[in-house]
Amino acid sequence: MSPVTEQWGEVLRTHLALGEEDSPARAAAAFSAEAGFFAVAGRGDEDGWPYFRSTAKGAEGAQGAVPDDIEALCTVCEEAVHPRGLRIAGTFWQRESREVISDVVTGSELELGLLREGDRAMWVVRAAPDVCMFVLVDGDREAQVSEARSLVLDFGSFLAGQGY
């Protein structure tokens, strides 16, 4: 099943309540080993790309994308987050926890990892061997981290139900 970027961006926005000011998620991205990042969304009108893709000044001063460490992200999709952590958009995220949760609807297993970088938190859920998603938590209160966890698990269940 090949994802369509425009549709998946809206799916992320809807499932993670990114259109609401009080959403516990700041930005989200869906990634597959086959397609790379196939959907990215930020809260409200915010661009979510800077949280997931590095940019640097090009030779002529234009903004150009710097390739992400796709091999590392593919590894995330294969085995959840490596104990050493993960570099995303030039930021090193340290894995704080990892758990495997059985989805009650589909019976599939979802791997969930919590990443930290200073006082920031990000959830990673692996819904299938080649598909995972990232949700950057808005703020550092544990209530926001917990609420974002619920949203990311719901979305992981949705992905599993869609055959990913």
Side-chain angles (χ1 to χ4, degrees):
M1 191 182 294
S2 177
V4 177
T5 304
E6 297 80 24
Q7 292 174 347
W8 280 102
E10 190 56 37
V11 168
L12 278 175
R13 184 172 303 289
T14 301
H15 275 268
L16 297 169
L18 288 168
E20 300 173 17
E21 281 188 35
D22 60 346
S23 173
R26 174 98 193 200
F31 179 88
S32 76
E34 178 184 329
F37 283 113
F38 62 86
V40 175
R43 190 177 67 201
D45 293 334
E46 186 177 9
D47 182 10
W49 277 112
Y51 299 109
F52 303 105
R53 175 142 324 182
S54 297
T55 58
K57 293 282 184 185
E60 297 172 3
Q63 289 288 333
V66 174
D68 291 311
D69 189 352
I70 298 299
E71 184 177 334
L73 292 172
C74 290
T75 299
V76 169
C77 290
E78 291 171 5
E79 63 184 52
V81 180
H82 192 279
R84 289 188 311 262
L86 178 66
R87 183 169 302 280
I88 302 172
T91 301
F92 183 75
W93 294 86
Q94 182 66 42
R95 186 177 87 181
E96 182 174 291
S97 67
R98 177 186 172 269
E99 56 189 300
V100 177
I101 298 167
S102 182
D103 179 50
V104 287
V105 176
T106 63
S108 60
E109 289 188 341
L110 302 173
E111 291 184 59
L112 181 68
L114 176 60
L115 307 177
R116 296 265 186 189
E117 186 276 323
D119 61 354
R120 298 189 312 162
M122 183 183 304
W123 287 105
V124 178
V125 66
R126 184 177 75 94
D130 293 332
V131 178
C132 57
M133 71 168 278
F134 303 85
V135 174
L136 178 64
V137 178
D138 184 35
D140 60 350
R141 293 191 333 261
E142 285 307 309
Q144 290 165 302
V145 173
S146 179
E147 192 176 344
R149 179 186 185 274
S150 295
L151 288 174
V152 78
L153 282 174
D154 179 57
F155 192 76
S157 178
F158 169 77
L159 285 175
Q162 295 296 309
Y164 288 99

